[in-house]
Amino acid sequence: MESYTIGQAARLLGVSVDTARRWADAERFPTRREGTRRMVDGPDLAAFCVEAAQEAADGEEAPHTSARNAFPGIVTGVKLGTVDAQVEIQAGPHRIVSLLTREAVEELGLEVGSRATARVKSTSVFVDRG
């Protein structure tokens, strides 16, 4: 069974190490000691990630979309072409780059600093371990 330090757990959760420690202290997820390090077992962290995502989703109005994988973030780059555009979003630790039409970018008013949510729906999703 894979285990994570509090720092690794914080990176996976997209929060600061202090926030992860506070959540552990509040017993939102179990930890154990390995010498001087606090460790979180993989299954416990996975369960907490699902719970935290659901709590966040419960606090927001549900979007009218069939896409299940939403990455809210901030636009960090926009490159406009004649017909197409490239939009870069930083969503927590994730950098997402989308290619779409220039018209769509203009209609949405996307510019660096705008809040945006990347929604991913695909039949081809690759998963790497680690």
Side-chain angles (χ1 to χ4, degrees):
M1 172 175 45
E2 194 157 352
S3 296
Y4 301 89
T5 65
I6 286 288
Q8 291 169 324
R11 279 190 296 282
L12 291 168
L13 291 164
V15 298
S16 71
V17 175
D18 287 337
T19 297
R21 282 190 189 115
R22 280 194 300 275
W23 286 347
D25 290 343
E27 299 180 356
R28 293 198 59 196
F29 57 86
T31 61
R32 59 182 166 72
R33 290 272 181 197
E34 265 185 28
T36 59
R37 299 181 120 185
R38 272 174 103 169
M39 304 297 291
V40 183
D41 290 332
D44 293 329
L45 183 59
F48 178 72
C49 286
V50 170
E51 177 185 321
Q54 185 60 49
E55 287 174 7
D58 288 345
E60 299 175 6
E61 184 179 318
H64 299 286
T65 179
S66 63
R68 300 289 184 253
N69 303 308
F71 297 89
I74 187 167
V75 175
T76 57
V78 176
K79 294 179 185 171
L80 296 175
T82 306
V83 176
D84 61 344
Q86 177 179 314
V87 176
E88 190 173 315
I89 296 172
Q90 190 67 41
H94 309 289
R95 177 179 167 259
I96 300 164
V97 179
S98 178
L99 301 175
L100 56 162
T101 64
R102 179 184 180 122
E103 181 181 11
V105 170
E106 291 170 347
E107 284 179 7
L108 291 169
L110 296 177
E111 58 186 24
V112 173
S114 299
R115 281 188 288 177
T117 300
R119 297 195 187 277
V120 179
K121 185 172 182 178
S122 176
T123 57
S124 299
V125 176
F126 297 91
V127 176
D128 294 335
R129 183 183 165 137

